[in-house]
Amino acid sequence: MRIAIVTTSFPSSAQDPAGHFVRAEAHELEREGHEVTVLAPRAGGAFGWPGVSARLRAGPWRALEVGQWIVSARTRVAALDADRVIAHWAVPCAWPVAATADRAELDVVSHGADVRLIVAMPRAVRSSITRAIARRARVWRFVSEALRDALVGALDARTREDVERVALVRAARIDGLDVRDVRDVSKAAAAKRRALGAGPIAISVGRLVVGKRVDRAIDYLARSAEARVLVVVGDGPDRPRLERFARARGIDARFVGLVGREEALAWIGAADVLLHASEAEGLSTVVREAEALGTRVKVL
């Protein structure tokens, strides 16, 4: 089967942390014998790190890049003549991009940001776009029940029925965490732990943007003294404020920046506890990675 995956987040290299769950699905489909083509924006454009919202705020002119990619992706999807199109993120990948592939089956996957975007739209626009996606889709996958319920709860009765007819809850795949990989990560994790010294270690992983609420993790440690050191993996526009806040709260916070996927997994494996404080997540990949690596998770 010829399958096209349309996504706004896909790793540009094996170590790129962006969209690795999309890559995991592409690899699985290829192992099943399908011919897979991935359509994603170029690295470093409007959809790059630390996310399209932050990049648009920093450079509103990037909205033009978003429009150009949508037009280009629609043309490429139509030209591929695929049997199935998998759209990771309902907006803009399912609508308006994948709507071009009239002959293909359409699978839609929602991870969180797309649902929040739809729910924030004016009621008429929200209903129109959601109905168009649901009536075109063979299946609409949500990575958690909470995410599905958030969308369904914001819809009128008719549109709700359309979504429920095709809705499916299934967690995204985690790429690169089989038994051998966990063993290899453990070796690197042990080295990082030795470098940090004795005492309990907490970790926070993700984009340093307001919605990830890393400040909540810092405040929690200041009040609880659960760990001696907080390792913050990731980068973004909120980093200077978070560094100042950690100093003000007396927290030994080690901001290691944006690192490759293997190193990020090693940091997770080195920690005693992962602090997860994001305001809204579909189903956090980093939480599932921590659980796979045997690191305790504290949801704040």
Side-chain angles (χ1 to χ4, degrees), residues 1-296:
M1 178 180 286
R2 292 190 304 276
I3 299 176
I5 296 179
V6 184
T7 177
T8 54
S9 183
F10 196 78
S12 58
S13 69
Q15 290 303 307
D16 187 347
H20 53 84
F21 42 85
V22 183
R23 179 179 59 193
E25 179 163 18
H27 287 172
E28 180 65 24
L29 291 169
E30 288 172 338
R31 283 192 291 268
E32 292 173 0
H34 300 292
E35 178 185 334
V36 179
T37 301
V38 178
L39 304 180
R42 65 177 179 84
F47 296 99
W49 187 270
V52 64
S53 297
R55 292 179 74 82
L56 286 175
R57 282 194 297 271
W61 54 268
R62 288 194 173 103
L64 179 60
E65 292 183 12
V66 174
Q68 290 172 335
W69 180 79
I70 288 173
V71 171
S72 172
R74 281 172 61 92
T75 301
R76 292 176 65 193
V77 167
L80 279 174
D81 192 30
D83 302 300
R84 179 183 300 168
V85 177
I86 302 175
H88 277 272
W89 286 275
V91 178
C93 298
W95 183 96
V97 173
T100 307
D102 294 330
R103 192 185 70 82
E105 295 179 340
L106 174 61
D107 289 7
V108 182
V109 189
S110 282
H111 297 272
D114 51 349
V115 168
R116 293 193 293 274
L117 176 60
I118 292 172
V119 169
M121 291 175 177
R123 182 186 300 272
V125 177
R126 180 195 317 154
S127 296
S128 177
I129 290 176
T130 305
R131 195 177 304 125
I133 294 171
R135 292 183 178 180
R136 175 69 182 81
R138 179 183 73 97
V139 63
W140 191 338
R141 282 189 269 145
F142 298 85
V143 298
S144 71
E145 290 184 4
L147 193 62
R148 177 201 59 195
D149 294 346
L151 178 61
V152 167
L155 301 174
D156 60 82
R158 185 176 62 162
T159 310
R160 186 182 307 123
E161 289 177 1
D162 289 336
V163 173
E164 289 176 336
R165 177 178 51 82
V166 294
L168 171 69
V169 175
R170 191 175 79 196
R173 292 178 174 87
I174 299 180
D175 199 14
L177 270 182
D178 59 23
V179 173
R180 182 193 68 246
D181 293 321
V182 169
R183 197 162 51 236
D184 292 343
V185 166
S186 297
K187 295 176 184 176
K192 289 189 177 298
R193 187 169 185 92
R194 286 193 298 271
L196 287 173
I201 299 164
I203 189 168
S204 173
V205 182
R207 292 175 294 128
L208 301 189
V209 295
V210 172
K212 293 298 183 181
R213 294 309 308 270
V214 179
D215 54 347
R216 188 180 292 166
I218 293 169
D219 186 62
Y220 169 77
L221 281 188
R223 290 183 288 103
S224 70
E226 183 170 345
R228 178 183 62 83
V229 173
L230 172 64
V231 176
V232 181
V233 177
D235 212 340
D238 209 29
R239 178 169 175 170
R241 182 185 72 85
L242 292 169
E243 289 177 330
R244 291 192 300 270
F245 185 62
R247 287 193 297 269
R249 297 292 277 142
I251 297 300
D252 182 4
R254 315 287 180 89
F255 287 78
V256 301
L258 180 60
V259 302
R261 177 158 166 72
E262 288 183 8
E263 186 173 355
L265 291 173
W267 278 119
I268 295 170
D272 295 281
V273 59
L274 170 80
L275 301 180
H276 183 64
S278 180
E279 282 184 342
E281 291 282 352
L283 179 63
S284 174
T285 300
V286 72
V287 167
R288 295 166 63 209
E289 289 169 340
E291 291 170 344
L293 293 169
T295 299
R296 182 167 62 89

